[in-house]
Short mmCIF file of all heavy atoms in Angstrom, two decimals:
data_model
loop_
_atom_site.label_atom_id
_atom_site.label_comp_id
_atom_site.label_asym_id
_atom_site.label_seq_id
_atom_site.Cartn_x
_atom_site.Cartn_y
_atom_site.Cartn_z
N SER A 10 58.03 12.46 -12.58
CA SER A 10 58.86 11.78 -11.60
C SER A 10 60.26 11.44 -12.25
O SER A 10 61.31 11.64 -11.55
CB SER A 10 58.22 10.46 -11.23
OG SER A 10 59.01 9.75 -10.38
N ARG A 12 61.71 13.11 -14.73
CA ARG A 12 62.37 14.32 -14.88
C ARG A 12 63.05 14.82 -13.58
O ARG A 12 64.09 15.27 -13.58
CB ARG A 12 61.45 15.33 -15.51
CG ARG A 12 62.05 16.57 -16.09
CD ARG A 12 61.15 17.38 -16.98
NE ARG A 12 60.22 18.12 -16.18
CZ ARG A 12 58.83 18.04 -16.30
NH1 ARG A 12 58.26 17.09 -17.02
NH2 ARG A 12 58.08 18.77 -15.51
N ILE A 13 62.24 14.76 -12.53
CA ILE A 13 62.76 15.17 -11.26
C ILE A 13 63.99 14.41 -10.85
O ILE A 13 65.07 14.92 -10.52
CB ILE A 13 61.69 15.09 -10.14
CG1 ILE A 13 60.65 16.19 -10.31
CG2 ILE A 13 62.32 15.15 -8.71
CD1 ILE A 13 59.37 16.01 -9.52
N THR A 14 63.89 13.07 -11.01
CA THR A 14 65.06 12.22 -10.67
C THR A 14 66.22 12.46 -11.49
O THR A 14 67.35 12.52 -11.12
CB THR A 14 64.59 10.70 -10.77
OG1 THR A 14 63.47 10.50 -9.78
CG2 THR A 14 65.76 9.75 -10.38
N PHE A 15 65.99 12.62 -12.81
CA PHE A 15 67.12 12.80 -13.74
C PHE A 15 67.86 14.08 -13.50
O PHE A 15 69.07 14.12 -13.41
CB PHE A 15 66.49 12.87 -15.28
CG PHE A 15 67.51 13.13 -16.31
CD1 PHE A 15 68.40 12.16 -16.74
CD2 PHE A 15 67.56 14.39 -16.90
CE1 PHE A 15 69.31 12.41 -17.75
CE2 PHE A 15 68.49 14.66 -17.88
CZ PHE A 15 69.41 13.64 -18.31
N ILE A 16 67.11 15.16 -13.23
CA ILE A 16 67.78 16.51 -13.01
C ILE A 16 68.35 16.53 -11.64
O ILE A 16 69.53 16.94 -11.39
CB ILE A 16 66.83 17.59 -13.24
CG1 ILE A 16 66.55 17.70 -14.73
CG2 ILE A 16 67.29 18.98 -12.73
CD1 ILE A 16 65.51 18.65 -15.16
N LEU A 17 67.63 16.13 -10.55
CA LEU A 17 68.21 16.28 -9.21
C LEU A 17 69.16 15.28 -8.89
O LEU A 17 70.10 15.56 -8.01
CB LEU A 17 66.96 16.21 -8.20
CG LEU A 17 66.00 17.42 -8.40
CD1 LEU A 17 64.97 17.38 -7.29
CD2 LEU A 17 66.67 18.80 -8.42
N ASP A 18 69.21 13.97 -9.44
CA ASP A 18 70.34 13.19 -9.32
C ASP A 18 71.64 13.73 -9.89
O ASP A 18 72.68 13.34 -9.44
CB ASP A 18 70.00 11.80 -9.99
CG ASP A 18 69.25 10.85 -9.12
OD1 ASP A 18 68.85 11.19 -8.05
OD2 ASP A 18 68.79 9.83 -9.72
N GLY A 19 71.52 14.65 -10.84
CA GLY A 19 72.69 15.31 -11.44
C GLY A 19 73.21 16.50 -10.61
O GLY A 19 74.27 16.99 -10.97
N VAL A 20 72.55 16.85 -9.57
CA VAL A 20 73.13 17.93 -8.76
C VAL A 20 74.28 17.51 -7.94
O VAL A 20 74.21 16.52 -7.20
CB VAL A 20 72.02 18.48 -7.82
CG1 VAL A 20 72.61 19.54 -6.76
CG2 VAL A 20 70.81 19.07 -8.56
N LEU A 35 63.81 22.06 -14.09
CA LEU A 35 62.65 21.08 -13.89
C LEU A 35 61.44 21.48 -14.75
O LEU A 35 60.72 20.64 -15.22
CB LEU A 35 62.28 20.94 -12.43
CG LEU A 35 63.24 20.26 -11.58
CD1 LEU A 35 62.91 20.45 -10.06
CD2 LEU A 35 63.34 18.74 -11.89
N LYS A 57 53.79 17.90 -0.08
CA LYS A 57 54.16 16.60 -0.53
C LYS A 57 55.59 16.53 -0.97
O LYS A 57 56.07 17.41 -1.81
CB LYS A 57 53.24 16.15 -1.68
CG LYS A 57 53.56 14.75 -2.21
CD LYS A 57 52.47 14.18 -3.07
CE LYS A 57 52.79 12.76 -3.52
NZ LYS A 57 52.93 11.82 -2.52
N LEU A 58 56.34 15.54 -0.41
CA LEU A 58 57.69 15.40 -0.80
C LEU A 58 57.78 14.75 -2.20
O LEU A 58 57.10 13.71 -2.47
CB LEU A 58 58.37 14.50 0.18
CG LEU A 58 59.84 14.28 0.02
CD1 LEU A 58 60.68 15.49 0.20
CD2 LEU A 58 60.28 13.17 1.04
N LEU A 59 58.42 15.46 -3.12
CA LEU A 59 58.60 14.91 -4.46
C LEU A 59 59.90 14.17 -4.75
O LEU A 59 60.02 13.28 -5.59
CB LEU A 59 58.47 16.00 -5.48
CG LEU A 59 57.12 16.76 -5.47
CD1 LEU A 59 57.22 17.95 -6.45
CD2 LEU A 59 55.98 15.93 -5.72
N TYR A 60 60.89 14.56 -3.99
CA TYR A 60 62.29 13.92 -4.06
C TYR A 60 63.14 14.26 -2.85
O TYR A 60 63.04 15.37 -2.31
CB TYR A 60 62.98 14.61 -5.37
CG TYR A 60 64.41 14.11 -5.60
CD1 TYR A 60 64.59 13.09 -6.51
CD2 TYR A 60 65.48 14.76 -4.99
CE1 TYR A 60 65.88 12.64 -6.67
CE2 TYR A 60 66.68 14.28 -5.17
CZ TYR A 60 66.96 13.24 -6.11
OH TYR A 60 68.24 12.85 -6.32
N LYS A 61 63.93 13.21 -2.46
CA LYS A 61 64.86 13.49 -1.39
C LYS A 61 65.99 12.53 -1.55
O LYS A 61 65.82 11.31 -1.80
CB LYS A 61 64.11 13.27 -0.02
CG LYS A 61 64.88 13.50 1.13
CD LYS A 61 64.12 13.40 2.46
CE LYS A 61 64.89 13.65 3.71
NZ LYS A 61 64.14 13.58 4.89
N ASN A 62 67.22 13.07 -1.27
CA ASN A 62 68.36 12.27 -1.06
C ASN A 62 69.22 12.87 0.05
O ASN A 62 68.62 13.75 0.75
CB ASN A 62 69.14 12.11 -2.43
CG ASN A 62 69.75 13.36 -2.87
OD1 ASN A 62 69.99 14.40 -2.15
ND2 ASN A 62 70.16 13.39 -4.17
N GLU A 63 70.36 12.48 0.34
CA GLU A 63 71.14 12.98 1.46
C GLU A 63 71.44 14.40 1.25
O GLU A 63 71.77 15.15 2.28
CB GLU A 63 72.31 12.09 1.78
CG GLU A 63 73.40 12.16 0.67
CD GLU A 63 74.54 11.21 0.89
OE1 GLU A 63 75.31 11.49 1.77
OE2 GLU A 63 74.70 10.18 0.20
N HIS A 64 71.44 15.02 0.00
CA HIS A 64 71.92 16.37 -0.24
C HIS A 64 70.81 17.30 -0.39
O HIS A 64 71.06 18.57 -0.21
CB HIS A 64 72.84 16.34 -1.46
CG HIS A 64 73.91 15.34 -1.41
ND1 HIS A 64 75.07 15.57 -0.50
CD2 HIS A 64 74.25 14.21 -2.04
CE1 HIS A 64 75.91 14.50 -0.59
NE2 HIS A 64 75.41 13.67 -1.57
N LEU A 65 69.62 16.88 -0.82
CA LEU A 65 68.56 17.85 -1.16
C LEU A 65 67.20 17.25 -1.08
O LEU A 65 67.10 16.04 -1.14
CB LEU A 65 68.82 18.63 -2.49
CG LEU A 65 69.14 17.81 -3.61
CD1 LEU A 65 67.92 17.51 -4.49
CD2 LEU A 65 70.11 18.47 -4.53
N GLU A 66 66.19 18.14 -1.07
CA GLU A 66 64.82 17.70 -1.13
C GLU A 66 63.97 18.71 -1.97
O GLU A 66 64.24 19.87 -1.94
CB GLU A 66 64.22 17.50 0.31
CG GLU A 66 63.97 18.72 1.07
CD GLU A 66 63.44 18.46 2.51
OE1 GLU A 66 63.07 17.34 2.79
OE2 GLU A 66 63.40 19.37 3.25
N LEU A 67 62.97 18.21 -2.63
CA LEU A 67 61.95 18.98 -3.40
C LEU A 67 60.59 18.69 -2.91
O LEU A 67 60.19 17.49 -2.71
CB LEU A 67 62.08 18.62 -4.89
CG LEU A 67 61.05 19.31 -5.74
CD1 LEU A 67 61.43 20.86 -5.88
CD2 LEU A 67 61.15 18.70 -7.14
N LEU A 68 59.92 19.71 -2.52
CA LEU A 68 58.49 19.65 -1.98
C LEU A 68 57.63 20.59 -2.80
O LEU A 68 58.00 21.55 -3.32
CB LEU A 68 58.40 20.11 -0.50
CG LEU A 68 59.27 19.35 0.48
CD1 LEU A 68 60.35 20.30 1.09
CD2 LEU A 68 58.49 18.76 1.56
N VAL A 69 56.30 20.16 -2.89
CA VAL A 69 55.28 20.95 -3.50
C VAL A 69 54.31 21.30 -2.31
O VAL A 69 54.05 20.44 -1.44
CB VAL A 69 54.58 20.30 -4.66
CG1 VAL A 69 53.87 19.04 -4.23
CG2 VAL A 69 53.54 21.29 -5.24
N HIS A 145 59.53 23.97 -3.53
CA HIS A 145 60.60 24.30 -2.58
C HIS A 145 61.72 23.33 -2.78
O HIS A 145 61.59 22.04 -2.52
CB HIS A 145 60.06 24.23 -1.09
CG HIS A 145 58.88 25.11 -0.86
ND1 HIS A 145 59.03 26.25 -0.01
CD2 HIS A 145 57.64 25.14 -1.34
CE1 HIS A 145 57.83 26.86 0.05
NE2 HIS A 145 56.98 26.15 -0.90
N LEU A 146 62.95 23.78 -3.10
CA LEU A 146 64.07 22.94 -3.25
C LEU A 146 65.16 23.36 -2.23
O LEU A 146 65.65 24.45 -2.29
CB LEU A 146 64.65 23.12 -4.65
CG LEU A 146 65.88 22.26 -5.05
CD1 LEU A 146 65.58 20.73 -4.84
CD2 LEU A 146 66.35 22.55 -6.47
N TYR A 147 65.48 22.51 -1.22
CA TYR A 147 66.34 22.80 -0.19
C TYR A 147 67.48 21.92 -0.16
O TYR A 147 67.48 20.67 -0.48
CB TYR A 147 65.64 22.62 1.17
CG TYR A 147 64.40 23.59 1.40
CD1 TYR A 147 63.16 23.05 1.42
CD2 TYR A 147 64.65 24.98 1.48
CE1 TYR A 147 62.05 23.88 1.54
CE2 TYR A 147 63.47 25.78 1.68
CZ TYR A 147 62.20 25.28 1.68
OH TYR A 147 61.15 26.07 1.85
N PRO A 150 68.39 18.43 3.02
CA PRO A 150 66.97 18.34 3.46
C PRO A 150 66.77 18.97 4.85
O PRO A 150 67.61 18.87 5.75
CB PRO A 150 66.69 16.79 3.62
CG PRO A 150 67.67 16.25 2.55
CD PRO A 150 68.83 17.12 2.63
#
Side-chain angles (χ1 to χ4, degrees):
S10 178
R12 196 165 74 240
I13 289 170
T14 300
F15 178 75
I16 290 175
L17 297 185
D18 278 356
V20 172
L35 289 169
K57 178 160 181 65
L58 182 66
L59 300 177
Y60 177 93
K61 183 176 182 177
N62 67 20
E63 64 183 294
H64 305 293
L65 49 96
E66 69 182 349
L67 177 68
L68 301 117
V69 60
H145 302 247
L146 181 59
Y147 298 114

